Amino acid sequence: MPASREDSPLSSADYDILVAGGGMVGAALACALAGNRLRIAVVEKQPPQLEWPPEEIDLRVSAINHASRNLLENIGAWDAICEHGIQPYREMRVWDQSRLGDIHFDSASIGEPDLGHIIQNRIIQAALWQQMQQHADIELLTPACITQMDPEPDALSLMLDDGNRIRCQLAIAADGASSRLRNMAGIAVDVHDFEQYAVVATVGTPDGHHETAWQRFLPNGPLAFLPVSPSACSIVWSTTESESLELLDLESSAFCDRLVEVSEGRLGALECSPQRARFPLRSQHAQSYLAERLVLVGDAAHQIHPLAGQGVNLGFRDAAVLAGTILHAQSSGEPWHGRPVLRRYERARRGDNQLTRKSMEAFNSLFSNSSPPLRLVRNFGLRAADSSHIAKRFFMQQALGTGMDVPPLCRKRLAG
Ligand SMILES: Cc1cc2nc3c(=O)[nH]c(=O)nc-3n(C[C@H](O)[C@H](O)[C@H](O)COP(=O)(O)OP(=O)(O)OC[C@H]3O[C@@H](n4cnc5c(N)ncnc54)[C@H](O)[C@@H]3O)c2cc1C
């Protein structure tokens, strides 16, 4: 049985691996490592919500690609996610502020049943949390925060906020974009501030969303409608700070009118509720994923613009590669927590994460720009891409996460 903070003898505990942060990426990684004679602790600041009214939709959702879905299946969390509710999207329509460029992706054109699923974050989080609770070799230490990290000759010693100290062979920082462990290790980050905020909300779609993800590039940033249930979309509207504040302040009916206007009524009528939130947008990348007995994954290592819905998909891929690297080294008798092994993980992931991050920065600045030459380039680009089957197939495979070297844990169903 997992230990709660109350019944765990923290001061005497020693773990092979300590995962700091039980968010989507940290929890998936712990599940991927479980069952391999490793003693794992997951330290989480705030335990997740496990129950909520069935009709309530989380403001935070993620577009989950096929590679991530395979990972969630392989670690045993997918069935519970499906029970709570998932929404496939089969098509994607992207268009430009000037209405000249338009691109349409259809899963049927590449023989796939869908392009991915839109899933509420808390559904993924709850399923992963319950899956961690099934593993006798994972101890959940929560609520707890790491406040200090001291390398010792044969271990890493970590202090928790209640004064208890724990030791581990390797700590994995999955504690998000403001990673405390990364900062304590003195790892610098390259940062790009988009000077944008993402306003999120859920809108009813009485005329239907046609299982399509819609995205329009507006002068201040992209607006996406992601189908999250049979009759609702989650919106992510990236814009300037001042417009984001204005959008948060609007009455529901005025917010709805604005959405219908800027989406050119493509989804028909919309129904808006007053719940809205905003998140500052920046992209960042840790200059190293490694320090002494410490390795970074997920948003602790990299954060990207949400315009293509890839952030947690990259994090899941980190988790799959890191778990595969550690377990392979362990089974070959190599020191799995040593730098040479962890460097393999970093080499495998850094390029993909950097390329995705830079592409999102380029897309955002190309499309959120009204200069006439740039408008011409992007309209030409969108039309050329739309008429090229090869280009569309390439983009779709990238988005599905199946277009490149796919780590074994992200491949279709492994044995049992
Ligand atoms: C508006 C928006 C829309 C997005 N849409 C998508 C999408 O469609 N698809 C997609 O793939 N990605 C999307 N993303 C990105 C995605 O949400 C993130 O990449 C993802 O949440 C990162 O997961 P994580 O587990 O690495 O970090 P987090 O989700 O930040 O989790 C970190 C965890 O660590 C805990 N923690 C923090 N500090 C400590 C500490 N000191 N000690 C212990 N625990 C700690 C936190 O409580 C939390 O549980 C979106 C992001 C935004 C802002």
Side-chain angles (χ1 to χ4, degrees), residues 21-26 43-46 60-63 121 144-146 174-177 180 198 200 236 279 281 298-299 306 309-313:
M24 292 188 281
V25 174
V43 179
E44 169 52 49
K45 193 163 68 173
Q46 195 181 3
R60 297 292 308 271
V61 308
S62 296
N121 283 10
C145 243
I146 292 158
D175 50 349
R180 194 155 178 183
V200 297
V236 182
F279 301 89
L281 296 181
D299 273 25
Q310 286 298 325
V312 81
N313 290 298

PDB file of all heavy atoms in Angstrom, residues 21-26 43-46 60-63 121 144-146 174-177 180 198 200 236 279 281 298-299 306 309-313, ligand 1:
ATOM      1  N   GLY A  21       7.278  16.091  -7.811  1.00  0.00           N
ATOM      2  CA  GLY A  21       6.166  16.555  -8.642  1.00  0.00           C
ATOM      3  C   GLY A  21       5.384  15.365  -9.187  1.00  0.00           C
ATOM      4  O   GLY A  21       5.903  14.592  -9.986  1.00  0.00           O
ATOM      5  N   GLY A  22       4.151  15.231  -8.714  1.00  0.00           N
ATOM      6  CA  GLY A  22       3.275  14.149  -9.192  1.00  0.00           C
ATOM      7  C   GLY A  22       2.243  14.679 -10.161  1.00  0.00           C
ATOM      8  O   GLY A  22       1.094  14.255 -10.157  1.00  0.00           O
ATOM      9  N   GLY A  23       2.635  15.656 -10.994  1.00  0.00           N
ATOM     10  CA  GLY A  23       1.755  16.139 -12.070  1.00  0.00           C
ATOM     11  C   GLY A  23       1.663  15.054 -13.153  1.00  0.00           C
ATOM     12  O   GLY A  23       2.063  13.910 -12.934  1.00  0.00           O
ATOM     13  N   MET A  24       1.145  15.431 -14.336  1.00  0.00           N
ATOM     14  CA  MET A  24       0.936  14.410 -15.373  1.00  0.00           C
ATOM     15  C   MET A  24       2.247  13.708 -15.743  1.00  0.00           C
ATOM     16  O   MET A  24       2.274  12.482 -15.864  1.00  0.00           O
ATOM     17  CB  MET A  24       0.300  15.050 -16.613  1.00  0.00           C
ATOM     18  CG  MET A  24      -1.125  15.531 -16.370  1.00  0.00           C
ATOM     19  SD  MET A  24      -1.944  16.082 -17.878  1.00  0.00           S
ATOM     20  CE  MET A  24      -1.272  17.716 -18.097  1.00  0.00           C
ATOM     21  N   VAL A  25       3.314  14.465 -15.883  1.00  0.00           N
ATOM     22  CA  VAL A  25       4.569  13.856 -16.347  1.00  0.00           C
ATOM     23  C   VAL A  25       5.238  13.039 -15.240  1.00  0.00           C
ATOM     24  O   VAL A  25       5.636  11.885 -15.457  1.00  0.00           O
ATOM     25  CB  VAL A  25       5.522  14.945 -16.904  1.00  0.00           C
ATOM     26  CG1 VAL A  25       6.872  14.357 -17.261  1.00  0.00           C
ATOM     27  CG2 VAL A  25       4.894  15.609 -18.130  1.00  0.00           C
ATOM     28  N   GLY A  26       5.333  13.611 -14.032  1.00  0.00           N
ATOM     29  CA  GLY A  26       5.972  12.887 -12.929  1.00  0.00           C
ATOM     30  C   GLY A  26       5.228  11.600 -12.606  1.00  0.00           C
ATOM     31  O   GLY A  26       5.844  10.543 -12.384  1.00  0.00           O
ATOM     32  N   VAL A  43       7.069  12.912  -4.459  1.00  0.00           N
ATOM     33  CA  VAL A  43       6.793  14.008  -3.522  1.00  0.00           C
ATOM     34  C   VAL A  43       5.940  15.038  -4.260  1.00  0.00           C
ATOM     35  O   VAL A  43       6.362  15.587  -5.284  1.00  0.00           O
ATOM     36  CB  VAL A  43       8.113  14.666  -3.039  1.00  0.00           C
ATOM     37  CG1 VAL A  43       7.815  15.813  -2.079  1.00  0.00           C
ATOM     38  CG2 VAL A  43       9.005  13.635  -2.373  1.00  0.00           C
ATOM     39  N   GLU A  44       4.742  15.261  -3.796  1.00  0.00           N
ATOM     40  CA  GLU A  44       3.832  16.188  -4.493  1.00  0.00           C
ATOM     41  C   GLU A  44       3.325  17.238  -3.499  1.00  0.00           C
ATOM     42  O   GLU A  44       2.826  16.928  -2.423  1.00  0.00           O
ATOM     43  CB  GLU A  44       2.666  15.404  -5.121  1.00  0.00           C
ATOM     44  CG  GLU A  44       1.517  16.246  -5.644  1.00  0.00           C
ATOM     45  CD  GLU A  44       1.904  17.371  -6.609  1.00  0.00           C
ATOM     46  OE1 GLU A  44       2.646  17.106  -7.565  1.00  0.00           O
ATOM     47  OE2 GLU A  44       1.474  18.525  -6.384  1.00  0.00           O
ATOM     48  N   LYS A  45       3.452  18.480  -3.946  1.00  0.00           N
ATOM     49  CA  LYS A  45       3.054  19.631  -3.122  1.00  0.00           C
ATOM     50  C   LYS A  45       1.573  19.586  -2.786  1.00  0.00           C
ATOM     51  O   LYS A  45       1.167  19.839  -1.663  1.00  0.00           O
ATOM     52  CB  LYS A  45       3.373  20.889  -3.942  1.00  0.00           C
ATOM     53  CG  LYS A  45       3.331  22.161  -3.207  1.00  0.00           C
ATOM     54  CD  LYS A  45       4.041  23.257  -3.982  1.00  0.00           C
ATOM     55  CE  LYS A  45       3.313  23.644  -5.251  1.00  0.00           C
ATOM     56  NZ  LYS A  45       3.911  24.811  -5.929  1.00  0.00           N
ATOM     57  N   GLN A  46       0.769  19.226  -3.807  1.00  0.00           N
ATOM     58  CA  GLN A  46      -0.678  19.322  -3.619  1.00  0.00           C
ATOM     59  C   GLN A  46      -1.353  18.104  -4.255  1.00  0.00           C
ATOM     60  O   GLN A  46      -1.316  17.956  -5.479  1.00  0.00           O
ATOM     61  CB  GLN A  46      -1.156  20.581  -4.349  1.00  0.00           C
ATOM     62  CG  GLN A  46      -2.506  20.999  -3.959  1.00  0.00           C
ATOM     63  CD  GLN A  46      -2.929  22.240  -4.744  1.00  0.00           C
ATOM     64  OE1 GLN A  46      -2.204  22.747  -5.616  1.00  0.00           O
ATOM     65  NE2 GLN A  46      -4.107  22.712  -4.462  1.00  0.00           N
ATOM     66  N   ARG A  60      -8.769  23.383 -17.762  1.00  0.00           N
ATOM     67  CA  ARG A  60      -7.505  22.954 -18.360  1.00  0.00           C
ATOM     68  C   ARG A  60      -7.693  21.630 -19.092  1.00  0.00           C
ATOM     69  O   ARG A  60      -8.146  20.651 -18.491  1.00  0.00           O
ATOM     70  CB  ARG A  60      -6.420  22.774 -17.277  1.00  0.00           C
ATOM     71  CG  ARG A  60      -6.049  24.034 -16.522  1.00  0.00           C
ATOM     72  CD  ARG A  60      -5.340  25.055 -17.385  1.00  0.00           C
ATOM     73  NE  ARG A  60      -4.194  24.529 -18.105  1.00  0.00           N
ATOM     74  CZ  ARG A  60      -2.961  24.484 -17.650  1.00  0.00           C
ATOM     75  NH1 ARG A  60      -2.693  24.942 -16.447  1.00  0.00           N
ATOM     76  NH2 ARG A  60      -1.975  24.012 -18.383  1.00  0.00           N
ATOM     77  N   VAL A  61      -7.366  21.612 -20.353  1.00  0.00           N
ATOM     78  CA  VAL A  61      -7.471  20.376 -21.137  1.00  0.00           C
ATOM     79  C   VAL A  61      -6.172  20.190 -21.925  1.00  0.00           C
ATOM     80  O   VAL A  61      -5.406  21.137 -22.102  1.00  0.00           O
ATOM     81  CB  VAL A  61      -8.668  20.403 -22.120  1.00  0.00           C
ATOM     82  CG1 VAL A  61      -9.968  20.759 -21.419  1.00  0.00           C
ATOM     83  CG2 VAL A  61      -8.415  21.350 -23.297  1.00  0.00           C
ATOM     84  N   SER A  62      -5.955  18.976 -22.416  1.00  0.00           N
ATOM     85  CA  SER A  62      -4.781  18.719 -23.254  1.00  0.00           C
ATOM     86  C   SER A  62      -5.184  17.936 -24.485  1.00  0.00           C
ATOM     87  O   SER A  62      -6.010  17.011 -24.397  1.00  0.00           O
ATOM     88  CB  SER A  62      -3.732  17.894 -22.488  1.00  0.00           C
ATOM     89  OG  SER A  62      -3.245  18.618 -21.391  1.00  0.00           O
ATOM     90  N   ALA A  63      -4.578  18.304 -25.594  1.00  0.00           N
ATOM     91  CA  ALA A  63      -4.713  17.504 -26.821  1.00  0.00           C
ATOM     92  C   ALA A  63      -3.675  16.390 -26.703  1.00  0.00           C
ATOM     93  O   ALA A  63      -2.477  16.656 -26.660  1.00  0.00           O
ATOM     94  CB  ALA A  63      -4.427  18.369 -28.038  1.00  0.00           C
ATOM     95  N   ASN A 121      -7.409  17.866 -18.079  1.00  0.00           N
ATOM     96  CA  ASN A 121      -6.178  17.552 -17.332  1.00  0.00           C
ATOM     97  C   ASN A 121      -6.474  16.772 -16.061  1.00  0.00           C
ATOM     98  O   ASN A 121      -5.765  15.852 -15.702  1.00  0.00           O
ATOM     99  CB  ASN A 121      -5.436  18.844 -16.970  1.00  0.00           C
ATOM    100  CG  ASN A 121      -4.695  19.424 -18.162  1.00  0.00           C
ATOM    101  OD1 ASN A 121      -4.881  18.977 -19.292  1.00  0.00           O
ATOM    102  ND2 ASN A 121      -3.875  20.420 -17.921  1.00  0.00           N
ATOM    103  N   ALA A 144       3.745  17.615   0.361  1.00  0.00           N
ATOM    104  CA  ALA A 144       5.137  17.799   0.787  1.00  0.00           C
ATOM    105  C   ALA A 144       5.905  18.537  -0.296  1.00  0.00           C
ATOM    106  O   ALA A 144       5.616  18.395  -1.479  1.00  0.00           O
ATOM    107  CB  ALA A 144       5.784  16.449   1.046  1.00  0.00           C
ATOM    108  N   CYS A 145       6.901  19.284   0.136  1.00  0.00           N
ATOM    109  CA  CYS A 145       7.717  20.086  -0.779  1.00  0.00           C
ATOM    110  C   CYS A 145       9.185  19.879  -0.437  1.00  0.00           C
ATOM    111  O   CYS A 145       9.525  19.798   0.743  1.00  0.00           O
ATOM    112  CB  CYS A 145       7.403  21.551  -0.520  1.00  0.00           C
ATOM    113  SG  CYS A 145       6.690  22.393  -1.878  1.00  0.00           S
ATOM    114  N   ILE A 146      10.009  19.834  -1.446  1.00  0.00           N
ATOM    115  CA  ILE A 146      11.449  19.718  -1.171  1.00  0.00           C
ATOM    116  C   ILE A 146      12.023  21.121  -0.995  1.00  0.00           C
ATOM    117  O   ILE A 146      11.781  21.999  -1.824  1.00  0.00           O
ATOM    118  CB  ILE A 146      12.145  18.967  -2.315  1.00  0.00           C
ATOM    119  CG1 ILE A 146      11.667  17.512  -2.284  1.00  0.00           C
ATOM    120  CG2 ILE A 146      13.654  19.036  -2.206  1.00  0.00           C
ATOM    121  CD1 ILE A 146      11.812  16.797  -3.569  1.00  0.00           C
ATOM    122  N   ALA A 174      10.252  16.766 -11.765  1.00  0.00           N
ATOM    123  CA  ALA A 174       9.051  16.854 -12.622  1.00  0.00           C
ATOM    124  C   ALA A 174       8.143  17.883 -11.975  1.00  0.00           C
ATOM    125  O   ALA A 174       6.924  17.733 -11.941  1.00  0.00           O
ATOM    126  CB  ALA A 174       8.371  15.489 -12.696  1.00  0.00           C
ATOM    127  N   ASP A 175       8.781  18.937 -11.436  1.00  0.00           N
ATOM    128  CA  ASP A 175       8.038  19.901 -10.627  1.00  0.00           C
ATOM    129  C   ASP A 175       7.675  21.167 -11.416  1.00  0.00           C
ATOM    130  O   ASP A 175       7.508  22.241 -10.834  1.00  0.00           O
ATOM    131  CB  ASP A 175       8.795  20.236  -9.328  1.00  0.00           C
ATOM    132  CG  ASP A 175      10.249  20.615  -9.553  1.00  0.00           C
ATOM    133  OD1 ASP A 175      10.756  20.424 -10.669  1.00  0.00           O
ATOM    134  OD2 ASP A 175      10.889  21.109  -8.605  1.00  0.00           O
ATOM    135  N   GLY A 176       7.504  21.020 -12.725  1.00  0.00           N
ATOM    136  CA  GLY A 176       6.905  22.089 -13.519  1.00  0.00           C
ATOM    137  C   GLY A 176       7.862  23.196 -13.929  1.00  0.00           C
ATOM    138  O   GLY A 176       9.069  23.177 -13.629  1.00  0.00           O
ATOM    139  N   ALA A 177       7.290  24.181 -14.636  1.00  0.00           N
ATOM    140  CA  ALA A 177       8.092  25.217 -15.282  1.00  0.00           C
ATOM    141  C   ALA A 177       8.936  26.037 -14.305  1.00  0.00           C
ATOM    142  O   ALA A 177      10.009  26.517 -14.657  1.00  0.00           O
ATOM    143  CB  ALA A 177       7.167  26.136 -16.071  1.00  0.00           C
ATOM    144  N   ARG A 180      11.708  23.981  -8.662  1.00  0.00           N
ATOM    145  CA  ARG A 180      12.551  24.362  -7.523  1.00  0.00           C
ATOM    146  C   ARG A 180      13.845  23.545  -7.527  1.00  0.00           C
ATOM    147  O   ARG A 180      14.914  24.048  -7.191  1.00  0.00           O
ATOM    148  CB  ARG A 180      11.757  24.081  -6.254  1.00  0.00           C
ATOM    149  CG  ARG A 180      12.328  24.714  -5.047  1.00  0.00           C
ATOM    150  CD  ARG A 180      11.234  24.904  -4.032  1.00  0.00           C
ATOM    151  NE  ARG A 180      11.788  25.478  -2.834  1.00  0.00           N
ATOM    152  CZ  ARG A 180      11.075  25.698  -1.746  1.00  0.00           C
ATOM    153  NH1 ARG A 180       9.797  25.409  -1.738  1.00  0.00           N
ATOM    154  NH2 ARG A 180      11.638  26.223  -0.691  1.00  0.00           N
ATOM    155  N   ALA A 198      -2.686  33.221 -22.218  1.00  0.00           N
ATOM    156  CA  ALA A 198      -3.698  32.323 -22.779  1.00  0.00           C
ATOM    157  C   ALA A 198      -4.933  32.413 -21.893  1.00  0.00           C
ATOM    158  O   ALA A 198      -4.866  32.129 -20.699  1.00  0.00           O
ATOM    159  CB  ALA A 198      -3.185  30.889 -22.798  1.00  0.00           C
ATOM    160  N   VAL A 200      -8.421  30.825 -21.023  1.00  0.00           N
ATOM    161  CA  VAL A 200      -9.094  29.534 -21.239  1.00  0.00           C
ATOM    162  C   VAL A 200     -10.516  29.602 -20.699  1.00  0.00           C
ATOM    163  O   VAL A 200     -10.805  30.313 -19.727  1.00  0.00           O
ATOM    164  CB  VAL A 200      -8.323  28.358 -20.595  1.00  0.00           C
ATOM    165  CG1 VAL A 200      -6.957  28.184 -21.227  1.00  0.00           C
ATOM    166  CG2 VAL A 200      -8.183  28.543 -19.086  1.00  0.00           C
ATOM    167  N   VAL A 236      -8.730  28.122 -26.057  1.00  0.00           N
ATOM    168  CA  VAL A 236      -7.447  28.683 -25.615  1.00  0.00           C
ATOM    169  C   VAL A 236      -7.203  29.869 -26.531  1.00  0.00           C
ATOM    170  O   VAL A 236      -7.009  29.710 -27.734  1.00  0.00           O
ATOM    171  CB  VAL A 236      -6.290  27.663 -25.752  1.00  0.00           C
ATOM    172  CG1 VAL A 236      -4.983  28.267 -25.230  1.00  0.00           C
ATOM    173  CG2 VAL A 236      -6.604  26.360 -25.021  1.00  0.00           C
ATOM    174  N   PHE A 279      -3.258  32.382 -18.327  1.00  0.00           N
ATOM    175  CA  PHE A 279      -1.916  31.914 -17.982  1.00  0.00           C
ATOM    176  C   PHE A 279      -0.902  32.707 -18.794  1.00  0.00           C
ATOM    177  O   PHE A 279      -1.075  32.862 -20.011  1.00  0.00           O
ATOM    178  CB  PHE A 279      -1.754  30.423 -18.326  1.00  0.00           C
ATOM    179  CG  PHE A 279      -2.746  29.549 -17.606  1.00  0.00           C
ATOM    180  CD1 PHE A 279      -3.986  29.280 -18.166  1.00  0.00           C
ATOM    181  CD2 PHE A 279      -2.450  29.033 -16.355  1.00  0.00           C
ATOM    182  CE1 PHE A 279      -4.919  28.505 -17.503  1.00  0.00           C
ATOM    183  CE2 PHE A 279      -3.375  28.248 -15.683  1.00  0.00           C
ATOM    184  CZ  PHE A 279      -4.610  27.982 -16.247  1.00  0.00           C
ATOM    185  N   LEU A 281       2.283  33.329 -21.036  1.00  0.00           N
ATOM    186  CA  LEU A 281       2.920  32.408 -21.980  1.00  0.00           C
ATOM    187  C   LEU A 281       4.382  32.754 -22.178  1.00  0.00           C
ATOM    188  O   LEU A 281       4.721  33.882 -22.535  1.00  0.00           O
ATOM    189  CB  LEU A 281       2.199  32.446 -23.332  1.00  0.00           C
ATOM    190  CG  LEU A 281       0.751  31.957 -23.300  1.00  0.00           C
ATOM    191  CD1 LEU A 281       0.142  32.027 -24.691  1.00  0.00           C
ATOM    192  CD2 LEU A 281       0.656  30.533 -22.744  1.00  0.00           C
ATOM    193  N   GLY A 298       9.752  16.953 -18.483  1.00  0.00           N
ATOM    194  CA  GLY A 298       8.527  17.746 -18.629  1.00  0.00           C
ATOM    195  C   GLY A 298       8.806  19.234 -18.589  1.00  0.00           C
ATOM    196  O   GLY A 298       9.869  19.710 -19.014  1.00  0.00           O
ATOM    197  N   ASP A 299       7.830  19.973 -18.057  1.00  0.00           N
ATOM    198  CA  ASP A 299       7.970  21.435 -18.046  1.00  0.00           C
ATOM    199  C   ASP A 299       9.165  21.905 -17.216  1.00  0.00           C
ATOM    200  O   ASP A 299       9.621  23.040 -17.392  1.00  0.00           O
ATOM    201  CB  ASP A 299       6.677  22.094 -17.522  1.00  0.00           C
ATOM    202  CG  ASP A 299       5.666  22.316 -18.651  1.00  0.00           C
ATOM    203  OD1 ASP A 299       5.731  21.591 -19.663  1.00  0.00           O
ATOM    204  OD2 ASP A 299       4.799  23.213 -18.517  1.00  0.00           O
ATOM    205  N   PRO A 306       1.436  27.003 -26.212  1.00  0.00           N
ATOM    206  CA  PRO A 306       0.427  25.936 -26.354  1.00  0.00           C
ATOM    207  C   PRO A 306      -0.251  25.869 -27.713  1.00  0.00           C
ATOM    208  O   PRO A 306      -1.159  25.076 -27.894  1.00  0.00           O
ATOM    209  CB  PRO A 306      -0.589  26.279 -25.255  1.00  0.00           C
ATOM    210  CG  PRO A 306      -0.483  27.751 -25.065  1.00  0.00           C
ATOM    211  CD  PRO A 306       0.954  28.103 -25.362  1.00  0.00           C
ATOM    212  N   GLY A 309      -0.555  22.470 -28.946  1.00  0.00           N
ATOM    213  CA  GLY A 309      -0.921  21.461 -27.949  1.00  0.00           C
ATOM    214  C   GLY A 309       0.106  20.349 -27.839  1.00  0.00           C
ATOM    215  O   GLY A 309      -0.232  19.174 -27.921  1.00  0.00           O
ATOM    216  N   GLN A 310       1.372  20.699 -27.643  1.00  0.00           N
ATOM    217  CA  GLN A 310       2.411  19.663 -27.612  1.00  0.00           C
ATOM    218  C   GLN A 310       3.141  19.542 -26.274  1.00  0.00           C
ATOM    219  O   GLN A 310       3.922  18.616 -26.086  1.00  0.00           O
ATOM    220  CB  GLN A 310       3.445  19.935 -28.721  1.00  0.00           C
ATOM    221  CG  GLN A 310       2.946  19.605 -30.117  1.00  0.00           C
ATOM    222  CD  GLN A 310       2.611  18.126 -30.295  1.00  0.00           C
ATOM    223  OE1 GLN A 310       3.260  17.269 -29.725  1.00  0.00           O
ATOM    224  NE2 GLN A 310       1.563  17.828 -31.041  1.00  0.00           N
ATOM    225  N   GLY A 311       2.903  20.473 -25.322  1.00  0.00           N
ATOM    226  CA  GLY A 311       3.721  20.528 -24.100  1.00  0.00           C
ATOM    227  C   GLY A 311       3.760  19.232 -23.317  1.00  0.00           C
ATOM    228  O   GLY A 311       4.833  18.680 -23.050  1.00  0.00           O
ATOM    229  N   VAL A 312       2.590  18.712 -22.963  1.00  0.00           N
ATOM    230  CA  VAL A 312       2.604  17.506 -22.135  1.00  0.00           C
ATOM    231  C   VAL A 312       2.949  16.288 -22.986  1.00  0.00           C
ATOM    232  O   VAL A 312       3.504  15.305 -22.487  1.00  0.00           O
ATOM    233  CB  VAL A 312       1.287  17.344 -21.342  1.00  0.00           C
ATOM    234  CG1 VAL A 312       0.166  16.751 -22.164  1.00  0.00           C
ATOM    235  CG2 VAL A 312       1.533  16.465 -20.111  1.00  0.00           C
ATOM    236  N   ASN A 313       2.679  16.365 -24.286  1.00  0.00           N
ATOM    237  CA  ASN A 313       3.086  15.250 -25.162  1.00  0.00           C
ATOM    238  C   ASN A 313       4.611  15.111 -25.173  1.00  0.00           C
ATOM    239  O   ASN A 313       5.139  14.008 -25.139  1.00  0.00           O
ATOM    240  CB  ASN A 313       2.558  15.475 -26.578  1.00  0.00           C
ATOM    241  CG  ASN A 313       1.044  15.317 -26.653  1.00  0.00           C
ATOM    242  OD1 ASN A 313       0.518  14.248 -26.374  1.00  0.00           O
ATOM    243  ND2 ASN A 313       0.337  16.387 -26.992  1.00  0.00           N
TER     244      ASN A 313
HETATM  245  C1  LIG B   1      -3.265  27.196 -21.745  1.00  0.00           C
HETATM  246  C2  LIG B   1      -2.436  25.965 -21.918  1.00  0.00           C
HETATM  247  C3  LIG B   1      -2.884  24.952 -22.758  1.00  0.00           C
HETATM  248  C4  LIG B   1      -2.134  23.793 -22.944  1.00  0.00           C
HETATM  249  N1  LIG B   1      -2.585  22.836 -23.791  1.00  0.00           N
HETATM  250  C5  LIG B   1      -1.844  21.730 -24.011  1.00  0.00           C
HETATM  251  C6  LIG B   1      -2.290  20.720 -24.910  1.00  0.00           C
HETATM  252  O1  LIG B   1      -3.348  20.807 -25.522  1.00  0.00           O
HETATM  253  N2  LIG B   1      -1.484  19.625 -25.107  1.00  0.00           N
HETATM  254  C7  LIG B   1      -0.287  19.501 -24.490  1.00  0.00           C
HETATM  255  O2  LIG B   1       0.430  18.511 -24.737  1.00  0.00           O
HETATM  256  N3  LIG B   1       0.150  20.432 -23.610  1.00  0.00           N
HETATM  257  C8  LIG B   1      -0.587  21.533 -23.355  1.00  0.00           C
HETATM  258  N4  LIG B   1      -0.158  22.483 -22.470  1.00  0.00           N
HETATM  259  C9  LIG B   1       1.094  22.271 -21.736  1.00  0.00           C
HETATM  260  C10 LIG B   1       0.897  21.328 -20.548  1.00  0.00           C
HETATM  261  O3  LIG B   1      -0.162  21.785 -19.723  1.00  0.00           O
HETATM  262  C11 LIG B   1       2.180  21.218 -19.731  1.00  0.00           C
HETATM  263  O4  LIG B   1       3.231  20.898 -20.605  1.00  0.00           O
HETATM  264  C12 LIG B   1       2.055  20.135 -18.657  1.00  0.00           C
HETATM  265  O5  LIG B   1       1.072  20.462 -17.712  1.00  0.00           O
HETATM  266  C13 LIG B   1       3.388  19.930 -17.945  1.00  0.00           C
HETATM  267  O6  LIG B   1       3.253  18.855 -17.038  1.00  0.00           O
HETATM  268  P1  LIG B   1       4.327  18.621 -15.907  1.00  0.00           P
HETATM  269  O7  LIG B   1       3.851  17.422 -15.152  1.00  0.00           O
HETATM  270  O8  LIG B   1       5.702  18.608 -16.494  1.00  0.00           O
HETATM  271  O9  LIG B   1       4.287  19.922 -15.007  1.00  0.00           O
HETATM  272  P2  LIG B   1       3.082  20.496 -14.121  1.00  0.00           P
HETATM  273  O10 LIG B   1       1.771  20.223 -14.749  1.00  0.00           O
HETATM  274  O11 LIG B   1       3.426  21.913 -13.829  1.00  0.00           O
HETATM  275  O12 LIG B   1       3.167  19.625 -12.779  1.00  0.00           O
HETATM  276  C14 LIG B   1       4.164  19.861 -11.803  1.00  0.00           C
HETATM  277  C15 LIG B   1       3.706  19.214 -10.500  1.00  0.00           C
HETATM  278  O13 LIG B   1       4.730  19.399  -9.525  1.00  0.00           O
HETATM  279  C16 LIG B   1       4.153  19.869  -8.300  1.00  0.00           C
HETATM  280  N5  LIG B   1       5.200  20.667  -7.659  1.00  0.00           N
HETATM  281  C17 LIG B   1       5.638  21.898  -8.026  1.00  0.00           C
HETATM  282  N6  LIG B   1       6.636  22.280  -7.215  1.00  0.00           N
HETATM  283  C18 LIG B   1       6.835  21.266  -6.329  1.00  0.00           C
HETATM  284  C19 LIG B   1       7.739  21.064  -5.259  1.00  0.00           C
HETATM  285  N7  LIG B   1       8.653  21.989  -4.927  1.00  0.00           N
HETATM  286  N8  LIG B   1       7.669  19.892  -4.566  1.00  0.00           N
HETATM  287  C20 LIG B   1       6.748  18.960  -4.887  1.00  0.00           C
HETATM  288  N9  LIG B   1       5.861  19.105  -5.902  1.00  0.00           N
HETATM  289  C21 LIG B   1       5.922  20.232  -6.615  1.00  0.00           C
HETATM  290  C22 LIG B   1       2.909  20.650  -8.725  1.00  0.00           C
HETATM  291  O14 LIG B   1       1.969  20.699  -7.674  1.00  0.00           O
HETATM  292  C23 LIG B   1       2.429  19.820  -9.919  1.00  0.00           C
HETATM  293  O15 LIG B   1       1.566  18.778  -9.515  1.00  0.00           O
HETATM  294  C24 LIG B   1      -0.886  23.644 -22.270  1.00  0.00           C
HETATM  295  C25 LIG B   1      -0.433  24.658 -21.411  1.00  0.00           C
HETATM  296  C26 LIG B   1      -1.193  25.805 -21.246  1.00  0.00           C
HETATM  297  C27 LIG B   1      -0.688  26.895 -20.320  1.00  0.00           C
END
